[in-house]
């Protein structure tokens, strides 16, 4: 507690247990931890401050900004904030080690990511896995020196002078893009000028000694801000944990993940392919993969029919004004495919803007020369198409970019759709509605497009074109809570059916300090209240996370853990008061007056590509019977039983089963092994004995021989297993076993 003789103002700090401490103005998270107890003071690594509804992690020794809520972070591998902090700090240690070993290195940026961190670097020499041990050894030396992470700030002008003297175009660009009147730097040491330092917003752990368990994992190619025309970079990935046991478990998980890699299994099982001629990040579903996708869609469609959804189909492209009204354009501008402008004026301004943005990312003489080209092109475009508002002679490069953006804001054109909701809104708006029509439920398996950076694309899980199981409900205020509960229950039912029962629920709220959100305070207050109530009434355990809301409304996300412990954000349910207002949607109420509907956005699978990629890895390609592309294989012992095998094959097909037939002269052992490798659920062996008895010898893909059964009994058993979707008994349960193993190792 503060000393009675202190004359400094007091701050009120509310702790997670509900208690409030009064501390002197200028106190830090470290001071609060010491007030609570010496054990916490030793364990603390940072603070999570919430103020005016906005939360942020701050350095342990950074002064508190005023009255606030404070959660003291400790060295915990189970706390996402604490782990992200450690990984960000480890990225700085790795950057210092790389710069020491490779002096020509130019640093770009090094953020934490979900499972570790990376640092993008510009280096003429290629870093290879052979260099990882050297880098890790240098990191260990830095860590052993127990140097503090020291923060200091400079005015924007001072910071830019410093960075221009250092000559890194990347750091200059990062600084110019940063917000605020001051910029922060971190020194890995006691004093500026004596140790490694980096432009960085922070925060960091108190000192390098906190970094204990780390591993450099891989290196890949990337491009600065995703621009393939810019300088190729190297992206060095690593991970870090507070405990060596956590790192060991994670590396073990990675080894298991390699065996389950959906890209490898997908190729081996002929599920999907990606062609460079079609385009990176654009999935081609092969026939067997399409079966899995269609079975999932059929399952969900049947569930939706029970809830009176109506299926629709909409175009993959729409007018720019549609997305301008919704806010998707330019909200997703960093990950959208370029707009297709209709007029020559629009096309010219777009080309000029792209040139100006490229020059904007350059520095030194290269930027000066580029600025001259931009100025010349500005003059040519204005001479051809007339003056561009706000663009005067002598305008700076930044002013030019802003004016060009503004000029394109009214130009007509089209856009590959980033989301389906504006199209569904237009379906709702296509005719008048009364309160008797609501809830009005529309659903579509609609493909959307995002131009993800090339370095971020990964198989089916991070793509540039993906299909969402999208639905939008238009409801009255009285219907909102009931519809939300039904939608949450649907998402839970979908995940449960697939055995994905290990998940956490995240309620994503708006960060009031950010300007990325649209709509009034009142709309957000009502929407956030609705998702909180729905999460509570559904009975799920959930956490609230500020800043995770969509730009138009809060949401309930299902973050699913697969059978080797990785987390995936899948199903989502969102409440939206804002888009109905932006599109001026109405329905006629019981009072015969117009009223505004509320929208619910929902997608239990999320992206079909990502969901199937997850399932491939979750099941290691061994899908439950109802999803398997090939459910049954029929194999002959010899050619003497070929006619009977064909009869069995036709009988299974007539029963609606997906079946393959092997009549080759190969021995039965290799035939069965090939079918097991193809993850076919059941293998029916047909020989002379089976032909004589009118039976089949049933085997499963795990290598178990079940025995001889009549075809009718086999069909009945398989249909029963398919109908239960793996949640009843197996068609052919082994002795003492009644449940399917859902996670194959």
């Amino acid at each position: 507690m503060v000393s009675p003789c202190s004359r400094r103002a007091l701050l009120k700090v509310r702790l997670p247990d509900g208690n409030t401490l009064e501390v002197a103005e200028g106190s830090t998270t470290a001071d609060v931890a010491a007030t609570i107890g010496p054990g916490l003071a030793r364990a603390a690594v940072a603070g999570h401050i919430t103020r005016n509804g906005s939360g942020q992690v701050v350095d342990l020794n950074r002064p508190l900004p005023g009255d606030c809520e404070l959660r003291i972070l400790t060295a915990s591998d189970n706390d996402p904030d604490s782990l992200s902090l450690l990984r960000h700090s480890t990225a700085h240690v790795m950057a210092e080690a790389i710069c020491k070993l490779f002096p020509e290195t130019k640093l770009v940026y090094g953020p934490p990511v979900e499972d570790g961190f990376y640092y993008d670097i510009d280096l003429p020499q290629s870093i290879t896995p052979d260099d990882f041990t050297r880098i890790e050894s240098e990191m260990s030396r830095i860590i052993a020196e127990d140097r503090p992470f020291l923060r200091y700030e400079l005015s924007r002008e001072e910071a830019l002078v410093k960075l221009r003297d250092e000559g890194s175009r990347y750091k200059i660009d990062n600084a110019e893009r940063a917000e605020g009147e001051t910029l922060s730097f971190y020194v890995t040491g006691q004093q500026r000028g004596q140790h490694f330092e980096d432009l960085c917003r922070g925060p960091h752990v108190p000192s390098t000694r906190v970094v204990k368990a780390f591993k450099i994992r891989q290196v890949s190619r990337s491009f600065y801000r995703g621009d393939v025309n810019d300088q190729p970079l190297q992206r060095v990935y690593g991970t870090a944990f507070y405990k060596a046991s956590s790192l060991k478990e994670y590396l073990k998980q990675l080894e298991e993940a390699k065996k389950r890699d959906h890209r490898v299994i997908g190729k081996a099982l002929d599920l999907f392919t990606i062609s460079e001629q079609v385009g990176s990040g654009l999935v081609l579903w092969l026939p067997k993969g399409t079966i899995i996708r269609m079975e999932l869609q059929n399952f969900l469609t049947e569930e939706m029919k029970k809830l009176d959804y109506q299926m629709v189909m909409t175009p993959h492209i729409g007018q720019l004004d549609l997305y301008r009204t919704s806010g998707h354009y330019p909200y997703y501008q960093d990950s959208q495919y370029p707009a297709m402008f209709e007029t020559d004026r629009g096309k010219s301004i777009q080309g000029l803007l792209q040139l100006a943005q490229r020059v904007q990312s350059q520095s030194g003489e290269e930027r000066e020369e580029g600025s001259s080209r931009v100025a010349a092109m500005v003059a040519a475009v204005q001479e051809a198409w007339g003056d561009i508002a706000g663009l005067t002679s002598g305008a700076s490069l930044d002013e030019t970019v802003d004016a060009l953006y503004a000029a394109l804001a009214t130009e007509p054109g089209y856009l590959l759709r980033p989301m389906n909701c504006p199209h569904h809104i237009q379906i709702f708006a296509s005719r008048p509605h009364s309160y008797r029509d609501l809830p009005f439920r529309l659903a579509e398996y609609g493909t959307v497009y995002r131009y993800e950076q090339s370095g971020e694309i990964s198989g089916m899980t991070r793509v540039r074109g993906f299909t969402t199981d999208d639905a939008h409900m238009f409801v009255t205020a009285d219907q909102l809570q009931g519809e939300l509960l039904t939608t949450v229950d649907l998402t839970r039912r979908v995940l449960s059916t697939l055995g994905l029962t290990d998940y956490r629920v995240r309620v994503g709220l708006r960060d009031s300090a950010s300007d990325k959100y649209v709509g009034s305070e009142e709309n957000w207050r009502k929407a956030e209240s609705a998702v909180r109530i729905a999460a509570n009434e559904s009975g799920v355990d959930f956490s609230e996370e500020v800043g995770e809301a969509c730009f138009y409304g809060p949401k309930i996300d299902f973050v699913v853990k697969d059978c080797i412990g990785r987390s995936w954000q899948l199903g989502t349910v969102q409440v939206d008061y804002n888009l109905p207002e932006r599109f001026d949607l109405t329905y006629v109420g019981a009072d015969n007056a117009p009223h505004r509907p509320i929208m619910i956005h929902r997608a239990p699978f999320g992206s079909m590509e990502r969901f199937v990629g997850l399932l491939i890895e979750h099941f290691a390609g061994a899908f439950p019977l109802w999803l398997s592309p090939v459910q049954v294989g029929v194999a002959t012992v010899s050619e003497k039983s070929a006619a009977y095998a064909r009869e069995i094959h036709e009988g299974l097909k007539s029963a609606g089963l997906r079946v393959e037939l092997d009549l080759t002269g190969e021995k039965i052992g290799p035939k069965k092994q090939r079918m097991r490798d193809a993850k076919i659920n059941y293998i029916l062996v047909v020989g002379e004995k089976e032909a004589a008895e009118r039976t089949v010898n049933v085997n499963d893909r795990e290598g178990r021989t079940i025995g001889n059964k009549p075809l009718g009994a086999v069909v009945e058993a398989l249909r029963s297993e398919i109908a239960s979707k793996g949640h009843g008994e197996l068609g052919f349960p082994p002795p003492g076993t009644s449940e399917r193993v859902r996670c194959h190792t």
Side-chain angles (χ1 to χ4, degrees):
M1 303 294 286
V2 69
S3 167
C5 62
S6 173
R7 296 189 179 183
R8 287 189 291 172
L10 296 180
L11 305 179
K12 291 182 178 180
V13 179
R14 185 176 175 81
L15 302 174
D17 62 5
N19 289 324
T20 298
L21 293 179
E22 289 188 339
V23 299
E25 187 176 26
S27 295
T28 65
T29 300
D31 295 328
V32 176
T35 299
I36 296 171
L40 182 59
R42 289 191 296 273
V45 294
H48 185 284
I49 290 173
T50 302
R51 198 160 183 255
N52 299 324
S54 178
Q56 67 174 135
V57 178
V58 299
D59 295 316
L60 191 64
N61 294 309
R62 192 170 179 186
L64 301 176
D67 293 348
C68 61
E69 297 176 22
L70 175 65
R71 180 168 64 89
I72 297 173
L73 305 185
T74 58
S76 170
D77 290 329
N78 297 317
D79 184 329
D81 285 334
S82 184
L83 199 53
S84 178
L85 179 85
L86 173 73
R87 289 168 171 173
H88 188 190
S89 302
T90 310
H92 273 239
V93 173
M94 183 182 75
E96 178 178 353
I98 290 173
C99 288
K100 177 70 181 295
L101 296 172
F102 305 95
E104 293 180 315
T105 298
K106 293 180 180 177
L107 299 175
V108 184
Y109 33 54
V113 290
E114 184 176 355
D115 60 350
F117 58 86
Y118 68 80
Y119 217 116
D120 278 352
I121 61 171
D122 181 348
L123 178 65
Q125 174 183 344
S126 293
I127 289 181
T128 72
D130 292 339
D131 298 310
F132 291 176
T133 300
R134 292 173 59 210
I135 297 170
E136 289 171 349
S137 296
E138 182 62 23
M139 291 172 67
S140 295
R141 185 191 65 76
I142 295 166
I143 291 164
E145 292 179 357
D146 189 15
R147 290 193 251 133
F149 284 94
L150 175 70
R151 176 189 177 100
Y152 71 90
E153 295 182 356
L154 296 175
S155 69
R156 175 177 288 276
E157 293 74 17
E158 291 175 310
L160 286 170
V161 168
K162 168 183 165 59
L163 294 171
R164 285 171 183 142
D165 286 344
E166 293 172 359
S168 170
R169 56 165 282 213
Y170 308 108
K171 294 299 179 180
I172 293 169
D173 186 35
N174 290 341
E176 289 176 339
R177 290 170 182 266
E179 298 177 353
E181 296 305 313
T182 62
L183 299 176
S184 58
F185 295 78
Y186 278 82
V187 181
T188 315
Q190 293 283 2
Q191 195 171 349
R192 289 176 56 183
Q194 295 185 359
H195 293 286
F196 174 81
E197 60 183 78
D198 198 7
L199 173 72
C200 179
R201 288 182 298 181
H204 287 289
V205 296
S207 77
T208 58
R209 70 171 175 79
V210 178
V211 180
K212 289 184 170 64
F214 63 90
K215 185 75 176 174
I216 298 178
R217 289 179 43 216
Q218 64 187 72
V219 60
S220 65
R221 193 181 190 190
S222 67
F223 294 94
Y224 187 54
R225 303 200 179 279
D227 185 352
V228 295
N229 298 310
D230 207 329
Q231 173 68 30
L233 305 173
Q234 297 180 71
R235 177 168 292 180
V236 187
Y237 287 92
T239 193
F241 293 88
Y242 288 102
K243 293 181 180 178
S245 59
S246 298
L247 176 61
K248 183 178 179 181
E249 181 62 28
Y250 173 74
L251 295 176
K252 179 181 176 183
Q253 183 187 98
L254 281 184
E255 287 304 309
E256 181 63 28
K258 285 180 184 177
K259 300 175 191 174
R260 295 168 174 269
D261 190 326
H262 73 280
R263 294 165 294 186
V264 176
I265 294 175
K267 182 177 181 179
L269 300 184
D270 288 329
L271 302 180
F272 73 96
T273 188
I274 294 174
S275 163
E276 288 305 316
Q277 285 188 291
V278 173
S280 180
L282 300 172
V283 175
L284 299 173
W285 293 81
L286 301 180
K288 290 181 178 178
T290 301
I291 288 171
I292 298 170
R293 171 171 164 166
M294 293 304 298
E295 287 293 336
L296 289 168
Q297 290 182 187
N298 291 341
F299 159 58
L300 181 58
T301 300
E302 287 304 310
E303 292 295 320
M304 290 193 294
K305 284 179 181 177
K306 299 173 189 176
L307 297 171
D308 294 327
Y309 282 80
Q310 300 179 81
M311 300 302 297
V312 297
M313 299 178 71
T314 60
H316 292 226
I317 190 172
Q319 288 208 56
L320 277 170
D321 277 347
L322 176 70
Y323 304 112
R324 286 171 177 143
T325 301
S326 70
H328 291 95
Y329 183 84
Y331 181 80
Y332 288 111
Q333 67 186 16
D334 290 339
S335 60
Q336 284 172 347
Y337 278 86
M340 293 164 277
F341 289 97
E342 292 186 88
T343 66
D344 290 337
R345 172 185 167 85
K347 294 172 185 175
S348 298
I349 295 174
Q350 182 183 42
L352 176 53
L353 175 60
Q354 290 169 342
L355 172 63
Q357 287 174 314
R358 190 172 300 117
V359 173
Q360 202 176 31
S361 68
Q362 298 169 347
S363 61
E365 291 182 7
E366 193 176 22
R367 182 180 174 114
E368 288 182 15
E369 292 173 2
S371 296
S372 298
R373 291 199 307 274
V374 169
M377 191 168 172
V378 164
V381 168
Q382 292 197 114
E383 182 177 349
W385 307 112
D387 290 345
I388 298 172
L391 193 53
T392 59
S393 60
S396 70
L397 191 59
D398 291 344
E399 290 170 338
T400 299
V401 168
D402 290 343
L404 294 173
Y405 260 126
L408 287 177
T410 56
E411 287 291 325
Y414 287 83
L415 185 71
L416 281 172
R417 65 180 176 189
M419 293 294 278
N420 300 303
C421 33
H423 294 241
H424 291 189
I425 286 170
Q426 293 306 304
I427 291 177
F428 179 87
S430 66
R431 66 175 178 84
H433 293 275
S434 88
Y435 68 97
R436 294 186 183 90
D437 301 328
L438 276 53
F440 187 74
R441 306 178 183 96
L442 299 176
E444 176 180 15
Y445 299 102
T447 304
V448 297
Y449 301 90
R450 308 278 175 81
Y451 194 77
E452 301 285 358
Q453 293 187 21
S454 58
E456 300 295 325
I457 293 171
S458 177
M460 299 180 84
T461 57
R462 193 70 181 266
V463 293
R464 285 175 169 167
F466 56 93
T467 303
T468 60
D469 54 322
D470 231 344
H472 297 92
M473 289 75 83
F474 300 83
V475 302
T476 69
D478 291 340
Q479 295 166 342
L480 177 60
Q481 289 304 148
E483 196 72 12
L484 275 177
L485 280 175
T486 300
T487 305
V488 169
D489 287 344
L490 173 62
T491 304
R492 296 171 72 181
R493 189 158 63 253
V494 166
L495 296 177
S496 174
T497 298
L498 288 154
L500 300 172
T501 55
D502 186 3
Y503 56 78
R504 68 183 179 90
V505 173
R506 175 178 66 203
V507 173
L509 305 174
R510 178 182 62 150
D511 180 354
S512 59
S514 173
D515 61 359
K516 79 172 186 176
Y517 304 100
V518 300
S520 68
E521 290 285 340
E522 176 64 12
N523 280 349
W524 277 93
R525 183 191 64 76
K526 290 187 291 188
E528 291 185 340
S529 174
V531 295
R532 283 191 176 104
I533 292 171
N536 270 311
E537 291 187 356
S538 68
V540 298
D541 291 330
F542 67 93
S543 61
E544 294 185 2
E545 298 188 27
V546 174
E548 289 295 328
C550 298
F551 75 90
Y552 49 75
K555 58 180 180 168
I556 300 172
D557 288 334
F558 287 76
V559 183
V560 177
K561 188 173 286 187
D562 68 13
C563 64
I564 58 172
R566 298 166 303 177
S567 292
W568 307 74
Q569 194 271 299
L570 296 178
T572 186
V573 180
Q574 304 160 5
V575 175
D576 178 9
Y577 281 77
N578 290 311
L579 291 189
E581 193 169 278
R582 291 172 77 93
F583 283 96
D584 194 24
L585 301 182
T586 60
Y587 66 92
V588 177
D591 57 0
N592 219 27
H595 296 267
R596 187 83 68 205
I598 305 163
M599 278 183 74
I600 299 173
H601 308 239
R602 63 105 271 231
F605 294 137
S607 154
M608 297 302 298
E609 284 74 8
R610 190 180 196 199
F611 196 87
V612 171
L614 177 156
L615 289 183
I616 292 170
E617 298 190 359
H618 182 70
F619 291 115
F623 291 97
L625 187 64
W626 70 282
L627 280 180
S628 281
V630 183
Q631 297 164 320
V632 186
V634 178
T636 53
V637 174
S638 71
E639 63 181 16
K640 295 179 181 180
S641 55
Y644 181 58
R646 289 191 186 95
E647 182 183 335
I648 295 297
H649 178 249
E650 288 303 315
L652 291 167
K653 284 174 61 180
S654 297
L657 294 162
R658 297 187 286 273
V659 56
E660 281 189 0
L661 175 63
D662 187 343
L663 298 176
T664 61
E666 196 173 16
K667 290 184 177 180
I668 191 62
K671 286 185 181 183
K672 288 165 67 176
Q673 187 57 53
R674 186 165 58 250
M675 288 183 175
R676 290 190 186 107
D677 290 343
K679 309 298 183 184
I680 297 173
N681 300 65
Y682 294 104
I683 304 162
L684 308 186
V685 176
V686 176
E688 291 181 74
K689 180 176 182 293
E690 287 75 24
E693 296 176 347
R694 307 293 293 175
T695 62
V696 292
N697 184 260
V698 184
N699 302 256
D700 68 15
R701 64 187 170 201
E702 278 77 36
R704 185 168 56 99
T705 299
I706 295 166
N708 281 34
K709 306 280 183 183
L711 180 61
V714 171
V715 170
E716 183 180 350
L718 297 182
R719 281 177 167 171
S720 175
E721 185 176 338
I722 290 168
S724 74
K725 292 192 165 46
H727 288 270
E729 288 195 349
L730 296 181
F732 308 99
T737 301
S738 62
E739 291 188 4
R740 174 176 300 279
V741 177
R742 293 188 177 84
C743 184
H744 297 269
T745 57

